[in-house]
């Protein structure tokens, strides 16, 4: 079965960095667009960054210049490097995989908590 397993979350202070990872299994990883979403308490889940199967990248404006998404198709893993974190980045971060062509199968991980606090 398909599994997306996030790791690397934790508690950091404002201004610090963190890298979260998502290891995929049960899919042909190179054929999937991969994304990182986040959901803060009381808010809707929002897109943070996405990297297509071809390597095209998009970021939400709030993280441009601070976050970097990357993928390693040999390891079936997508990463999110987060720099200069601030308290507004506190959320559960979810990994998403979407097949690049119809029927666009879509899968979610269970999330990893990132807390930015002094």
């Amino acid at each position: 079965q398909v599994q997306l397993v996030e790791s690397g979350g934790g508690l950091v202070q404002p201004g610090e960095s963190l890298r979260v990872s998502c290891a995929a299994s049960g899919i042909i990883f190179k054929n999937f667009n991969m994304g990182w979403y986040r959901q803060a308490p009381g808010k809707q889940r929002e897109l943070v960054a996405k990297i297509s199967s071809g390597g095209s990248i998009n970021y939400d404006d709030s993280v441009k210049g601070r976050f970097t998404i990357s993928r390693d198709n040999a390891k079936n893993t997508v990463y999110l490097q987060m720099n200069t974190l601030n308290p507004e980045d506190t959320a559960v971060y979810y990994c998403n995989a979407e097949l690049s062509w119809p029927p666009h199968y879509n899968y979610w991980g269970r999330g990893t908590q990132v807390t930015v606090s002094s």
Side-chain angles (χ1 to χ4, degrees), residues 30-107:
K30 65 179 182 179
N31 293 339
F32 280 73
N33 303 321
M34 300 300 298
W36 284 99
Y37 291 71
R38 66 186 179 187
Q39 187 166 19
K43 294 188 177 181
Q44 290 190 331
R45 191 173 298 189
E46 63 179 7
L47 174 66
V48 176
K50 181 179 282 190
I51 183 167
S52 74
S53 58
S56 297
I57 291 175
N58 295 99
Y59 296 101
D60 182 77
D61 286 345
S62 66
V63 307
K64 280 181 181 176
R66 299 189 299 123
F67 290 12
T68 303
I69 189 171
S70 61
R71 65 188 295 161
D72 186 336
N73 288 345
K75 296 183 177 179
N76 289 357
T77 300
V78 62
Y79 305 95
L80 185 68
Q81 175 68 42
M82 302 182 288
N83 298 330
T84 319
L85 285 159
N86 59 61
E88 290 70 39
D89 297 314
T90 295
V92 178
Y93 283 70
Y94 296 92
C95 178
N96 175 266
E98 181 187 59
L99 185 62
S100 299
W101 50 79
H104 295 294
Y105 295 120
N106 195 289
Y107 305 101

Side-chain angles (χ1 to χ4, degrees), residues 8-18 85-86 90 114-118:
L11 171 64
V12 297
Q13 294 190 348
E16 293 186 338
S17 299
L18 200 63
L85 285 159
N86 59 61
T90 295
V114 172
T115 302
V116 185
S117 176
S118 55

